[in-house]
Amino acid sequence: MTTIRLWWLLARSDRRSAAVLWLPVAAYAVVTTLLLLVIGGSRVFFSWNDDMAFGYQLLALIALTLLVVPLGTLGASAARLSARRRDERLSTLRLLGATAGAVAAVTVIESSALALLGAAVGALGAALLAPLIGLIPFRGEAIGAWALVPAPETALVVAGVVALAVTSAVVSLRRLVISPLGVRTRQNAPAQRWWIVVVGVIVLAGALVAMNLLGAAGSAGGPITFLVVIVGGFAATLGVLGLIAPAILRLMATRQARIATKPERLLAARMILESPKAAWSQVSGVAMTSFMSVVAGAGVALMGMAASSDLSASDAHLVADIRTGILITVIGSFLMVACSVGVNQAAGIADRRELYSSLHQLGMDTSTMDAARRRAVLSPLRVTTIGSALCAAVFIFPLVGLSVIVSPLTLVMVAGVLAAGFALVWLGLLATRAQLARAARA
Amino acid sequence: MNFTILSARDLRLSYGPTRALDGVSLDVQVGDSVAVMGASGSGKTSLLHALAGILLPDSGAVRLTAPDGPLEITALSDRERTRLRRERFGFVFQQGLLIPELTAIENVAIALMLNGVDRGAANQAAAGWLAALGLAGLEDRRIGQLSGGQAQRVAIARAQVTGASVVFADEPTGALDSQTSAEVMSALLDMTVARGNTLVLVTHDAGVAARCSRIVDVRDGRIVGERVGA
């Protein structure tokens, strides 16, 4: 009880970090709003019970699954940021005699409170936006009132977001050593385990063979086969990229650190080398959008071909609805990735404000610092987008063929989505530039 | 040749109702080692920051005698002062404040790279300074793998690798034990004053201040006394 009273006293006096308090709250709000809107939009599919219903329900589940990755990334970023802003208070609590367990409990309580506040705001936002989402048509009819998620389900989503925040807080605490003298990140991150890369490559090769066999079996499975391929391919792509990408980033950054001639290049390479896994995690949400861009492009191209032939009214609706669903999923994931980059960068600047200030005093321009962190984000982003897009092309190649993959529609879609993805990440970086300048001049 | 390398005239600076500097004037001769002493909040760090062009006083002037003529630091823009600090000054902070992701040699070399020196030459110069400070063999260690004293010596190498004529040190031994503190102070004096450069140091440690040639006492934003040191 005393610990909680002390924490409250310290929290009230912690005005310096108030500027970054709203960021995790806003991130949780965005996560909750998007999640509730997608769930709301999908609910109508589960009210149907005709022949086509299963296909729609499957599509809705895929859309929700695809949003889980950027959702998790954003939630974790928000939790890390809220953990960092209370570093000094945590060490003060330890200095005043609080046990490590009490400090951990306080951290979890604070994370939950911030997440609950954000999720509540997000739920309100979703309720306000529901009438707009209700205008989106599926099977030729507007979703209508289905877009508004009822209170019990909304409460479940809010509880889920809070649970995500608590989990992330506990995980981030395990990486910190909170002593009475301060808070520091545990040193000596585990070395790259190369056998994981080997396993990743084997999984990729195995999945590729499976896809080829599926393709060779003909289009017997029809749309269900296609959907299974998308889900399986996506899961395999993310899984494999998650295993391989940090190793690739480490190799590239090691080389860059050796040959860098400009300070910003050297700094960026070393920032990535500090934790290739963290560098990858920050942009891993883009892997989904990149993968989706290829699948969506191929899907749109296929639909273009199908639309030229005679379609029944229900099939025509399905084609239009898939297009709508893809668009909504891509927009949702983009928003989450942009928020995630912004929150991550804000956390990074808050964490290193003393260093940025000292570098400015030494005579390093903020433009050099900005260029370094920009490279440290955009370089992994390039690897992620290209790797993910290539994996997607490889996975759908046996099913749709090369002509669809390289069709102008597919390429335009891929280029458009990737450009928008890069632009959003750029915006996320730009949004925190003023914070960097303030930290440097502090 | 003895001349005034830094000259501050009637510096005034307030943070809200608090007067950090209240009409401070100070001349620093080339080759001097000046210790600015005072209690916490006395204005000693504000004075160091004003002399180094890190912050601008509300009024008053700071002048640097540069090789290409006198330069009024207080009249320069933020960008010009940033460049001045990069090219002419060196800094050593209490916690070192080195870049944790970089190795020891990279932390030193980057000061030269910021001035446009190519990587090979920067590495070579950095290695020379590290060796001179007794850190040969530790070049590829990251900052977290060095002791406090070793990290401070890396910071001294970074402050001097560019050939800075003035080094500003803010409590450079504040986080060290007495033996390491003495060693770091010796290294700092050997690498600056012994080579003809100037050292302006802020400290509240009388033992550290006594090793400088001049000791300036600051209280309530004013210079209240001056003594001859070592």
Side-chain angles (χ1 to χ4, degrees), chain B residues 17-33:
Chain B
T18 309
R19 279 192 184 171
L21 296 176
D22 190 9
V24 173
S25 294
L26 179 70
D27 286 329
V28 177
Q29 305 299 308
V30 70
D32 253 3
S33 53

Side-chain angles (χ1 to χ4, degrees), chain B residues 159-178:
Chain B
Q160 279 291 261
V161 73
T162 55
S165 49
V166 184
V167 171
F168 295 95
D170 191 354
E171 301 279 9
T173 60
L176 305 173
D177 62 73
S178 56

